[in-house]
């Protein structure tokens, strides 16, 4: 078995000028060597390149072993309150919750953050798209929140949105209407 990488060695691998790693392969290695804490700490680095790449690999860790990453969810969500985050950190953090539930104690905070992202036309398309899905997932048990989301999405659809947003809006509105039947 290979030795566990130090946080510095892991950071060096992530920030190598010639990015010579595959995120899914590195994620598998991180999981095998039990380096999730180190990777999570790197995802919160002030170094934009390092934090972005670490969060990208961490999202692949979640794809491969969701329960292993689950214990870091609160820390990762709280990280979204930091100013000047790299777009990749935001995108990959939201990606974690697109298909899985948000911790109950973080729902209100993440709902507010996601509404901010989805209403900001300067935000990256993937961030806005993931935010729409997360708001929908959090809102499912609350008819009044679904009504609010439906109103906002119909408003978004009026403007000239990029195709990725239009598609997510259209599909989410359909999902809302299915829940109301």
């Amino acid at each position: 078995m290979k030795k566990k990488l130090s946080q510095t060695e892991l950071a060096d691998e992530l920030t190598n000028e010639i990015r010579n790693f595959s995120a899914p392969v590195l994620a598998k290695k991180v999981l095998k060597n039990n380096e999730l804490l180190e990777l999570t700490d790197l995802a919160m680095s002030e170094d934009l390149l390092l934090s972005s790449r670490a969060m990208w690999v961490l999202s692949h860790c979640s794809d491969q072993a969701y329960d292993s990453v689950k214990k870091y969810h609160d820390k990762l969500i709280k990280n979204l309150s930091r100013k000047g985050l790299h777009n990749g950190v935001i995108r990959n953090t939201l990606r974690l919750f697109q298909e899985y539930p948000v911790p109950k104690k973080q729902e209100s905070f993440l709902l507010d953050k996601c509404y901010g992202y989805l209403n900001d036309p300067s935000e990256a398309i993937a961030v806005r798209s993931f935010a729409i899905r997360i708001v929908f997932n959090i809102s499912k048990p609350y008819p009044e929140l679904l009504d609010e989301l439906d109103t906002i999405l119909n408003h978004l659809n009026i403007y000239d949105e990029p195709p990725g947003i239009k598609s997510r809006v259209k599909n989410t509105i359909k999902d809302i209407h299915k829940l109301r039947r």
Side-chain angles (χ1 to χ4, degrees):
M1 187 165 126
K2 290 187 178 180
K3 75 172 181 82
K4 186 173 178 173
L5 292 176
S6 72
Q7 190 170 15
T8 304
E9 291 169 321
L10 188 55
D12 289 345
E13 188 165 349
L14 289 167
T15 57
N16 189 331
E17 250 182 65
I18 305 166
R19 196 195 65 172
N20 58 355
F21 69 88
S22 158
V25 171
L26 186 54
K28 190 174 188 175
K29 182 177 167 184
V30 164
L31 289 166
K32 181 180 178 187
N33 295 333
N34 196 25
E35 298 168 332
L36 277 172
L37 177 59
E38 292 84 354
L39 186 63
T40 302
D41 288 345
L42 292 173
M44 297 187 198
S45 168
E46 296 293 325
D47 181 316
L48 296 180
L49 177 63
L50 178 59
S51 62
S52 175
R53 287 187 178 174
M55 195 60 225
W56 178 43
V57 173
L58 194 57
S59 74
H60 284 279
C61 290
S62 183
D63 291 345
Q64 295 174 27
Y66 172 77
D67 287 335
S68 297
V69 178
K70 197 174 179 180
K71 63 183 165 191
Y72 302 105
H73 283 176
D74 284 342
K75 191 175 184 180
L76 294 169
I77 291 170
K78 287 176 186 170
N79 188 48
L80 292 173
S81 62
R82 277 192 21 225
K83 298 269 187 231
L85 284 178
H86 188 281
N87 174 283
V89 172
I90 298 168
R91 179 180 65 247
N92 284 302
T93 302
L94 295 183
R95 185 175 170 265
L96 297 176
F97 302 104
Q98 186 176 236
E99 300 300 326
Y100 294 103
V102 173
K104 284 281 183 206
K105 62 184 174 185
Q106 296 290 353
E107 281 183 343
S108 179
F109 172 79
L110 201 52
L111 193 66
D112 288 343
K113 288 303 280 184
C114 285
Y115 267 122
Y117 296 139
L118 77 90
N119 284 314
D120 183 355
S122 68
E123 194 61 71
I125 293 168
V127 168
R128 293 177 71 208
S129 180
F130 291 160
I132 291 168
R133 190 69 191 173
I134 292 168
V135 170
F136 172 71
N137 289 338
I138 292 172
S139 300
K140 280 180 189 178
Y142 310 103
E144 64 281 1
L145 291 180
L146 283 174
D147 290 343
E148 181 180 350
L149 177 59
D150 191 27
T151 300
I152 288 171
L153 293 180
N154 278 303
H155 175 73
L156 276 179
N157 219 6
I158 293 170
Y159 298 102
D160 188 34
E161 293 287 348
I165 297 297
K166 283 184 181 180
S167 175
R168 181 57 64 116
V169 166
K170 180 180 151 193
N171 290 330
T172 304
I173 289 172
K174 279 183 189 177
D175 290 342
I176 291 170
H177 291 215
K178 283 180 192 173
L179 285 176
R180 290 180 175 159
R181 291 183 194 167

